[in-house]
């Protein structure tokens, strides 16, 4: 399993509230239909003055599965929708290394 972490900065002139509304009401329903998507999580910044306004996390079985999903017409539409609403989009493909707290 791999995860794509996508850092997003809203386009100039767009409020953080408008960014949040677009992401949660328009983009998420589109992204949830990506082929092979196993899990999807969106994180919206609380502070409008930060370097990034949102972080998307998408899980796929493999990097090949992720690339195949974005290679479809629907995948291209999801990416285009994102690019139409952001000025910066940085994607990192990562391997998770989860740890469980032992108390304290």
């Amino acid at each position: 399993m791999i995860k794509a972490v996508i850092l997003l900065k809203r386009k100039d002139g767009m409020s953080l509230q408008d960014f949040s509304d677009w992401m949660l009401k328009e983009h998420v329903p589109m992204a949830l239909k990506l082929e092979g998507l196993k899990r999807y999580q969106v994180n919206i910044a609380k502070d409008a003055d930060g370097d990034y306004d949102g972080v998307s996390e998408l899980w796929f079985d493999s990097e090949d599965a992720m690339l195949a999903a974005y290679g479809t017409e629907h995948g291209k539409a999801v990416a285009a929708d994102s690019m139409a609403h952001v000025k910066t989009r940085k994607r990192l493909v990562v391997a998770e290394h989860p740890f469980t707290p032992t108390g304290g």
Side-chain angles (χ1 to χ4, degrees):
M1 179 94 54
I2 61 100
K3 177 169 70 171
V5 177
I6 304 172
L7 306 171
L8 303 164
K9 181 65 180 175
R10 63 194 146 89
K11 67 181 180 180
D12 293 334
M14 179 183 240
S15 71
L16 183 59
Q17 184 61 54
D18 288 344
F19 172 82
S20 179
D21 289 345
W22 159 73
M23 177 66 92
L24 298 174
K25 296 175 184 173
E26 296 177 36
H27 191 73
V28 166
M30 284 182 74
L32 285 172
K33 295 176 184 171
L34 284 166
E35 291 182 22
L37 183 65
K38 300 299 181 184
R39 182 175 172 208
Y40 183 44
Q41 180 166 309
V42 172
N43 309 277
I44 305 292
K46 290 190 160 280
D47 181 1
D49 297 326
D51 291 338
Y52 294 98
D53 298 305
V55 179
S56 294
E57 300 171 274
L58 300 95
W59 286 259
F60 293 89
D61 283 334
S62 66
E63 192 165 355
D64 286 342
M66 179 192 69
L67 294 173
Y70 279 102
T72 65
E73 289 305 311
H74 181 71
K76 291 175 187 175
V78 171
D81 181 59
S82 182
M83 294 309 295
H85 293 86
V86 302
K87 70 176 182 179
T88 304
R89 180 180 181 263
K90 296 184 184 230
R91 180 173 67 190
L92 298 133
V93 178
V94 301
E96 288 186 304
H97 299 274
F99 296 89
T100 302
T102 58

